[in-house]
Amino acid sequence: MKFVIDMMGGDHGVETTIGAVKEFLKLHDDVYFYCVGNVECLSPLEGLDRVTIVPSIEVLKMDVDPMEAMHKKDSSLNIAMETYLKENCDCLVSAGSTGALVSEGVFKIKRMAGIKRPCLVSPFPTVIKGKNFVCADLGANTENTSENLLQFAKITSIFYRIAYNCENPKVYLLNNGTEEEKGNNLMKETYQLLKNDPSINFKGNMEAREPLNGECDVLITDGFTGNIFLKSTEGACKVMSNLIKRSFKTNFMTKIGYLFAKKGFKDMSETMDYKSTGGAMLLGVNGLLIKAHGSSDVRTFVSSLKIGYRLSKNDIINKIKENL
Amino acid sequence: MKFVIDMMGGDHGVETTIGAVKEFLKLHDDVYFYCVGNVECLSPLEGLDRVTIVPSIEVLKMDVDPMEAMHKKDSSLNIAMETYLKENCDCLVSAGSTGALVSEGVFKIKRMAGIKRPCLVSPFPTVIKGKNFVCADLGANTENTSENLLQFAKITSIFYRIAYNCENPKVYLLNNGTEEEKGNNLMKETYQLLKNDPSINFKGNMEAREPLNGECDVLITDGFTGNIFLKSTEGACKVMSNLIKRSFKTNFMTKIGYLFAKKGFKDMSETMDYKSTGGAMLLGVNGLLIKAHGSSDVRTFVSSLKIGYRLSKNDIINKIKENL
């Protein structure tokens, strides 16, 4: 299996990616890495078995304009895309700019036949142990039509079926109320399209406080709202987790309390750990492109590599194409 | 001070509102209640000092169509609005349908001069003890223009200044990235309007994972996105809280751990307790209309009454009008 990694992307660049590649090499002996980046920075990888260093010069900023990114031909992301095609790779992973990954992905790897726009799809944990749902679109687009959302629902259902081995995934539309007539114009239109498409197991609207409870398999929304949903949820979980850590430090008794409660606290943290499910996939292009979290640490980046590994093993791209 | 209460609204109706009214009567001796609802249901309030029971017949469903609600003249909400005007009340509280409250509020209580649309504003807790921020619009509207959002920012800044005694509230726009050019078309347009209005202390875009950290005073968004933000945050906090409670119950040791950690856990729960900050205000109409959470229990409904009490004491409506 051949991975190509944009080693320079993300808030922490090589500090994260080098450690992650090394760790992943130990986990799997059937993986080969093309590591794209500044040669000096990548020296810790020199001489390693199953690693080829591919030199690049420029590093795209996290807030680069996607159109500008396309013109920076020597960037690590651009060279990674070219390496993906040239070496016939199975998976590309980058923690860099989402906008750049989407625009380069569409431009270089191309959309699947019939797909108007790709969408960013990511798994979320739920209170049911081991159960994830996926949400699309998490921000590949900032404006969507109801036809786009219908297509996201179709392709994400196929993705969920294959990736999670679930015969008939339950699809919900993220909305401001559960009744059919709820929502802004986009959601009202999308509701009708989803309801009338027999290929989708559409179950109706879902309010934003519900998805983590585990009833939903596929949650459909536009890219802007998806971004708000993802980050609100992340932010609230992080705040709750920090608050409880802080409150345990109040005095001697609470510190003792923490020692006893540690196990329980760890269970909770693991259930809602976004880092362990980390990595969004750009669904709808002719290749497996994984967007790792911009603030990825080694563990999060390894999670993204794991997702890539599992999906590649599953031959996900070809299976989606067959099913479209 | 005269309160009028829609006793029948909310998921739990009189089960909640009767207890809340009784409790509030004990807390303040300068409050007089007009309790609107089905006379049989309100018998526990009969004969109480400082309570007048105002009979109504129909009860609006939580998912009632706002236009339909306007025609149900005998509903508890409708009669409450009329009582508000007739008795020259200071505050109206309802846990019923948001849509009905907004449409009746605009129709009966009327918008303030120059205000095109009212917005729903609610305080949120933050990790900084005692610090709240307010978010507008939380769902009075499902479609907004950038001009609407500019007006929300103006009126909510005035509200925050008076209600929280804060000279120059920091205003942020909820968006999918911090850079100026981020967002869908609505947010891009709104950014420019906010930036160029000298009456607003505009600090830029804020991503959805940030507001709970306490930097922001006023968070501006459209009604649809605001609803998603509110409910995602609520949902995630609730799930985290339940998960940790569950994990403490795992075995004997974790149960002991809970005994020691209880205090810390309580601290956290209180910091992020939406029930204690509960109650959204319909800002931009000529009256103090408070929307209590639909699923309010007695404690939550009392919180809404407290908000109403504090804002009335502050003469908030007249002060906003003077400042507009």
Side-chain angles (χ1 to χ4, degrees):
Chain A
M1 194 177 302
K2 290 187 278 185
F3 274 68
V4 52
I5 313 294
D6 165 13
M7 299 295 287
M8 312 304 286
D11 299 338
H12 307 300
V14 288
E15 208 186 318
T16 288
T17 52
I18 290 177
V21 164
K22 280 184 172 173
E23 198 175 315
F24 206 74
L25 282 168
K26 284 184 225 156
L27 293 176
H28 297 283
D29 56 13
D30 58 348
V31 168
Y32 192 96
F33 280 104
Y34 294 91
C35 295
V36 184
N38 185 303
V39 177
E40 284 76 40
C41 300
L42 297 182
S43 59
L45 294 173
E46 263 175 42
L48 285 186
D49 258 4
R50 295 186 279 134
V51 172
T52 294
I53 294 173
V54 183
S56 68
I57 297 164
E58 277 199 272
V59 178
L60 298 176
K61 284 191 184 150
M62 289 304 279
D63 60 349
V64 64
D65 179 78
M67 287 304 119
E68 202 189 315
M70 310 251 285
H71 291 114
K72 302 208 167 180
K73 298 205 188 303
D74 290 328
S75 76
S76 55
L77 181 65
N78 237 325
I79 308 260
M81 292 274 178
E82 276 163 20
T83 307
Y84 182 90
L85 293 170
K86 198 175 123 202
E87 303 293 346
N88 203 9
C89 288
D90 298 287
C91 180
L92 180 152
V93 183
S94 172
S97 149
T98 305
L101 185 80
V102 174
S103 59
E104 301 248 350
V106 169
F107 185 70
K108 291 224 164 85
I109 316 291
K110 311 284 186 208
R111 284 167 295 175
M112 289 177 178
I115 294 293
K116 284 196 179 149
R117 287 187 183 204
C119 56
L120 265 178
V121 173
S122 178
F124 282 68
T126 72
V127 296
I128 301 169
K129 239 182 185 165
K131 159 89 194 242
N132 286 338
F133 71 93
V134 296
C135 181
D137 172 27
L138 287 171
N141 312 273
T142 46
E143 299 281 355
N144 288 118
T145 64
S146 52
E147 285 78 18
N148 294 150
L149 267 63
L150 174 65
Q151 218 168 46
F152 297 166
K154 283 186 188 181
I155 193 167
T156 309
S157 289
I158 297 172
F159 168 75
Y160 195 89
R161 180 146 55 83
I162 298 164
Y164 293 89
N165 202 13
C166 165
E167 194 44 54
N168 202 15
K170 285 177 276 189
V171 176
Y172 285 87
L173 182 64
L174 183 64
N175 211 334
N176 64 350
T178 53
E179 304 84 9
E180 179 164 348
E181 66 284 359
K182 284 280 179 167
N184 54 18
N185 295 337
L186 175 63
M187 295 312 165
K188 284 180 197 163
E189 281 172 35
T190 305
Y191 188 102
Q192 294 307 319
L193 294 183
L194 291 173
K195 187 180 148 188
N196 293 313
D197 191 307
S199 75
I200 296 166
N201 183 18
F202 182 52
K203 295 291 188 182
N205 290 323
M206 184 170 268
E207 291 191 83
R209 69 165 78 87
E210 284 303 324
L212 300 183
N213 291 323
E215 160 64 17
C216 151
D217 296 320
V218 171
L219 185 67
I220 295 301
T221 185
D222 66 291
F224 182 80
T225 309
N227 182 288
I228 301 294
F229 171 70
L230 169 71
K231 289 179 185 163
S232 306
T233 305
E234 266 188 9
C237 286
K238 198 172 173 190
V239 159
M240 289 292 277
S241 177
N242 287 342
L243 277 178
I244 194 153
K245 274 182 204 158
R246 189 174 79 185
S247 68
F248 274 129
K249 287 180 190 155
T250 319
N251 60 40
F252 182 66
M253 289 307 271
T254 58
K255 278 181 196 162
I256 294 193
Y258 180 67
L259 290 180
F260 283 97
K262 221 160 127 180
K263 166 78 173 61
F265 183 61
K266 217 177 135 229
D267 283 354
M268 176 207 66
S269 303
E270 276 169 11
T271 307
M272 292 313 288
D273 186 358
Y274 283 85
K275 290 192 176 166
S276 71
T277 53
M281 179 183 164
L282 187 66
L283 205 54
V285 291
N286 284 306
L288 184 51
L289 307 190
I290 308 266
K291 165 71 179 82
H293 211 298
S295 64
S296 287
D297 55 19
V298 171
R299 203 175 121 237
T300 321
F301 204 87
V302 168
S303 299
S304 297
L305 295 174
K306 281 182 185 167
I307 290 182
Y309 184 84
R310 193 162 60 85
L311 295 177
S312 298
K313 280 266 176 199
N314 243 319
D315 195 20
I316 192 90
I317 300 299
N318 286 323
K319 282 194 187 149
I320 290 173
K321 282 191 196 171
E322 282 163 22
N323 278 279
L324 261 178
Chain B
M1 192 177 302
K2 291 188 274 186
F3 274 68
V4 52
I5 313 292
D6 166 13
M7 299 296 286
M8 312 305 285
D11 298 339
H12 308 300
V14 289
E15 207 186 318
T16 288
T17 53
I18 290 177
V21 165
K22 282 186 171 175
E23 197 174 316
F24 206 72
L25 282 168
K26 285 185 225 157
L27 293 176
H28 298 282
D29 56 13
D30 59 347
V31 168
Y32 193 96
F33 280 104
Y34 294 91
C35 295
V36 185
N38 186 303
V39 177
E40 284 76 41
C41 299
L42 297 182
S43 60
L45 294 174
E46 263 174 43
L48 284 186
D49 258 2
R50 295 185 278 133
V51 172
T52 295
I53 294 174
V54 183
S56 68
I57 297 162
E58 275 200 272
V59 177
L60 298 175
K61 283 193 184 149
M62 289 303 280
D63 61 348
V64 64
D65 179 78
M67 288 303 120
E68 203 188 312
M70 311 250 286
H71 291 114
K72 303 207 166 181
K73 299 207 187 301
D74 291 328
S75 77
S76 55
L77 180 66
N78 238 325
I79 307 262
M81 292 273 177
E82 277 164 20
T83 307
Y84 182 89
L85 292 170
K86 198 175 122 202
E87 303 293 346
N88 203 8
C89 289
D90 298 287
C91 180
L92 180 152
V93 184
S94 171
S97 150
T98 305
L101 185 80
V102 174
S103 59
E104 302 249 348
V106 169
F107 185 68
K108 292 225 163 85
I109 316 291
K110 312 284 184 205
R111 284 165 297 173
M112 289 177 179
I115 295 291
K116 285 197 176 145
R117 287 187 184 203
C119 55
L120 266 179
V121 173
S122 179
F124 282 69
T126 72
V127 295
I128 301 170
K129 241 183 183 163
K131 159 87 193 242
N132 285 339
F133 71 94
V134 295
C135 181
D137 172 28
L138 287 171
N141 311 274
T142 47
E143 300 280 353
N144 288 118
T145 65
S146 51
E147 286 78 18
N148 294 150
L149 268 62
L150 174 65
Q151 218 168 44
F152 298 167
K154 282 186 190 184
I155 194 166
T156 311
S157 289
I158 297 171
F159 168 75
Y160 194 88
R161 181 147 54 82
I162 300 165
Y164 293 90
N165 202 14
C166 164
E167 194 44 53
N168 203 15
K170 285 176 276 189
V171 176
Y172 285 87
L173 182 64
L174 183 63
N175 210 335
N176 65 350
T178 54
E179 303 85 8
E180 180 165 346
E181 67 284 0
K182 283 282 178 167
N184 53 19
N185 295 337
L186 175 64
M187 295 311 165
K188 284 181 198 164
E189 281 171 33
T190 305
Y191 189 102
Q192 294 308 318
L193 294 182
L194 292 173
K195 185 179 147 189
N196 293 313
D197 191 306
S199 76
I200 295 165
N201 183 18
F202 181 53
K203 296 292 191 183
N205 291 322
M206 185 170 265
E207 292 190 82
R209 68 165 77 87
E210 286 303 324
L212 300 183
N213 291 323
E215 160 64 18
C216 152
D217 297 320
V218 171
L219 185 66
I220 296 301
T221 185
D222 65 291
F224 182 81
T225 309
N227 181 289
I228 301 294
F229 171 71
L230 168 71
K231 289 178 183 163
S232 305
T233 304
E234 267 187 10
C237 286
K238 197 169 174 194
V239 159
M240 289 293 278
S241 178
N242 287 343
L243 277 178
I244 195 153
K245 274 181 204 156
R246 189 173 79 186
S247 68
F248 274 128
K249 288 180 190 154
T250 320
N251 59 41
F252 182 66
M253 289 306 271
T254 59
K255 277 180 197 162
I256 292 194
Y258 180 66
L259 290 180
F260 283 97
K262 219 160 133 182
K263 167 79 173 62
F265 182 60
K266 217 176 134 230
D267 283 353
M268 176 206 68
S269 302
E270 276 169 11
T271 307
M272 293 313 288
D273 187 358
Y274 284 86
K275 289 192 177 166
S276 71
T277 53
M281 177 183 165
L282 187 65
L283 205 54
V285 291
N286 285 308
L288 183 52
L289 308 189
I290 308 266
K291 164 73 179 83
H293 210 299
S295 64
S296 286
D297 54 19
V298 171
R299 202 176 122 238
T300 320
F301 203 86
V302 168
S303 300
S304 297
L305 295 174
K306 282 182 185 167
I307 291 182
Y309 184 84
R310 193 161 62 83
L311 295 177
S312 297
K313 279 266 174 201
N314 244 318
D315 194 21
I316 193 90
I317 299 300
N318 286 324
K319 282 195 188 150
I320 290 173
K321 280 190 196 171
E322 283 162 21
N323 278 278
L324 258 177

